Structures are given as structure tokens and as C-alpha cells.
Amino acid sequence: MDYSVKNNDIIVCEKDFNLDETLDCGQAFRWKKIDRGYRCTYEGSFLNDSLTVSQVSDDMFVFHDVSEEDFLGKWADYFDFDTDYSELKKQFSEDETLAKACSFAGGIRLLRQNSWECLISFIISQNNNIPRIKGIIDRLCEHYGEFPNASKMAEETPDSLAFLRSGFRAKYLCDAADCVNSGTVDLNAIAAAPIDEARAALKKIKGVGPKVAECVLLFGMYRKEAFPVDVWIKRVLAEYYPNGFPEFINENAGIAQQYLFHYIRNLNE
DNA sequence: CGCCAGGACGCCC
DNA sequence: GGGCGTCATGGC
């Protein structure tokens, strides 16, 4: 990644990056499309910052009104600019289906998001669709003025969360908040634990099954070997990988999964 | 109106 | 251990 400083902006040159594909592919639910790009706020949250970012050409981006220090210290990490996606896609493309997926939407990057936010977001995601997931998370943030931490959410009950209109998931959100707030579930420890141990620990939370646990590991803990299997990936596996997913992908299976997910969902367009 | 959505749980066998 | 009905809500 190449960057330069212009006035109060950071100009980034990066060819393996597309904002629409990365911020609207179902890994993050809080980025808003605005006139000149996307905006998200993490104020009071793990980044304690806000950002407006826009894509001005295939390989050029503007990080608006951000210091070089904050860009390097926060956003370069968040957007995973240290990882060479060109090299990853080159490896993936030895597989015929993945080659197509990579050329279809090669601008997806795995965001380094916050584990707690991902836990809550993907509990909400179960048996739900992306527009409605976004709506519920919007109402959550609007209610607290920011994405609430576990301690704030632990004060709630399923009834007091009725304003979310999250349905049967409210009781799961409360259990997640209780587990994290009380220390029964230590997200930082889980992030560093062996993968099977991490999976088991996450699934102690009510409403966290195999799929949600895998999403939290991948999107909230940067565990690139995690491989969430939802209805779309089931279709991919059945149709293109009847004899199993290629083993050489394993350590980056989660990133490959992102390309495949986006590919199969948009195949008809 | 019915069907589906980035599923998990409880119960049954 | 696998199969199935159920769980809220809303977009289409």
C-alpha cells in the first residue's frame, strides 16, 4: 500500500481494494454509503474514531480528514493494508472456481473488526437478511449513541430490548452481554486460543452455534482459517466442491470464503 | 398471500 | 448423532 498526505487527507493507492465490495459484502453492517463514499463511527468504541473514506478511481482512495498517525495506527490496520491480497488471489486462482470468484470481485479485503461488535452483529444475523440486520444494529447504536459495550448491554433484558425489534434473538443478545461482562467468556483469550478451543468457548453463549462462532472468529478475531458455512456457501460446496474444499486454501479459507460468498450471491446479476 | 433471510435450540428418535 | 418444527420480523 502506497499513501501520501494531502492537506488533512490521506491518499491511498491500492489495487486490490474496492470499497463497495469490502464494506457491503456482509462482513460489516455499520458503514453508510454517502455522497462521497462511506462513513462509519466508532466513537467511544474500540477505534474511538470516525472515518469518511471514498474511492476516486480503481486504485485510489481518500481517507478524509484524518491524521497520518491515526491512519497508520488505526485505519491501515482495520483495512488490513499489511496483507498482500494480490499474492493471496494468485494462490487461490489455482482453483478454477476461486479464480472466477477472485476475478468477479477481487477488491474484497478482510476487515480487522472488533470481536464484541462482531459477536453481537452475527447473533443478530441468524435467520435474518442483511438489510434487516443493518436496521437492528442502527437502532442499537442510535439508542446508546454509539455501539454499546458489554457492560451497558448487560443492563438490558429481552423486554427492554424490544425497541430493537430483533425478535427471538433478544434473549441471545442478553446472554452474550452477561457472559462477556461477567468474564465467563473472555473474547481476548478466545482470539488467541487454538481454533477448536475458541469455537467451543464461543458456543457456550446461547444463540451462538457453528456459523455464528465461525463468523466471530473470522470477522472479529482475524482468524483467517475460520470458514463460515451459510446457505450460500452450502450451495457453493455442493455445486463446485463435491469432493471437498482444496486443502492448500486451509490457512486462508475464510478469505476465500468471502470471495465465494460474494460471487455466488451475485452470479445472476 | 407465502417464501426466505450470512441459524440455533429443543425435542424426538 | 441426524432430522425437524419453532422461533420474530420484515423485504420481496
Side-chain angles (χ1 to χ4, degrees):
Chain A
M1 182 259 316
D2 249 354
Y3 77 93
S4 58
V5 182
K6 281 224 173 87
N7 301 324
N8 293 321
D9 297 337
I10 305 289
I11 314 296
V12 172
C13 188
E14 172 58 66
K15 62 182 168 55
D16 302 296
F17 187 25
N18 180 279
L19 275 187
D20 292 316
E21 291 169 12
T22 297
L23 298 179
D24 211 13
C25 68
Q27 67 173 317
F29 303 102
R30 289 210 292 129
W31 287 89
K32 307 279 187 216
K33 204 170 172 70
I34 58 174
D35 303 351
R36 55 175 185 172
Y38 285 84
R39 175 156 187 85
C40 191
T41 172
Y42 289 94
E43 280 163 14
S45 180
F46 77 115
L47 279 170
N48 195 25
D49 201 354
S50 296
L51 177 68
T52 299
V53 55
S54 55
Q55 180 156 17
V56 293
S57 71
D58 280 350
D59 60 353
M60 193 164 300
F61 304 83
V62 182
F63 287 67
H64 297 274
D65 199 24
V66 59
S67 70
E68 185 173 8
E69 183 188 353
D70 280 352
F71 173 72
L72 293 174
K74 298 177 179 180
W75 301 109
D77 180 68
Y78 181 88
F79 285 100
D80 200 22
F81 282 139
D82 285 338
T83 299
D84 184 351
Y85 280 75
S86 174
E87 177 58 31
L88 270 179
K89 287 186 285 182
K90 192 174 146 195
Q91 290 174 23
F92 291 167
S93 294
E94 289 175 30
D95 175 85
E96 192 183 338
T97 304
L98 264 170
K100 289 180 193 165
C102 289
S103 72
F104 177 76
I108 300 177
R109 306 179 75 85
L110 179 61
L111 300 172
R112 291 181 185 260
Q113 300 185 79
N114 175 259
S115 55
W116 163 251
E117 181 175 332
C118 277
L119 173 60
I120 293 303
S121 299
F122 283 95
I123 285 174
I124 292 169
S125 81
Q126 70 173 258
N127 198 28
N128 217 340
N129 55 61
I130 291 178
R132 214 171 81 83
I133 296 165
K134 288 180 177 174
I136 293 170
I137 294 173
D138 277 349
R139 290 191 284 279
L140 183 66
C141 293
E142 200 171 328
H143 182 79
Y144 291 97
E146 63 194 27
F147 197 96
N149 59 29
S151 147
K152 279 283 176 200
M153 277 193 71
E155 297 172 7
E156 303 291 352
T157 65
D159 283 341
S160 74
L161 287 178
F163 68 92
L164 287 179
R165 304 200 297 279
S166 63
F168 61 89
R169 305 166 191 84
K171 55 183 179 292
Y172 300 151
L173 297 176
C174 290
D175 190 56
D178 287 339
C179 287
V180 172
N181 185 50
S182 68
T184 307
V185 169
D186 182 343
L187 293 177
N188 290 329
I190 291 172
I195 191 89
D196 283 329
E197 200 175 304
R199 286 177 174 126
L202 285 169
K203 285 193 280 190
K204 287 195 295 187
I205 300 168
K206 282 178 193 148
V208 177
K211 162 66 168 55
V212 172
E214 221 62 13
C215 284
V216 175
L217 283 163
L218 180 62
F219 302 125
M221 298 177 173
Y222 199 71
R223 296 294 291 260
K224 297 185 283 185
E225 72 271 43
F227 191 80
V229 177
D230 68 337
V231 291
W232 295 96
I233 295 297
K234 267 179 195 159
R235 288 171 204 167
V236 173
L237 292 176
E239 193 168 338
Y240 299 101
Y241 300 99
N243 301 319
F245 201 61
E247 270 189 35
F248 75 93
I249 306 285
N250 280 356
E251 66 175 316
N252 292 301
I255 296 180
Q257 189 266 15
Q258 282 296 92
Y259 292 124
L260 291 170
F261 177 77
H262 197 272
Y263 177 58
I264 195 73
R265 280 189 75 216
N266 297 289
L267 204 52
N268 297 328
E269 292 176 10

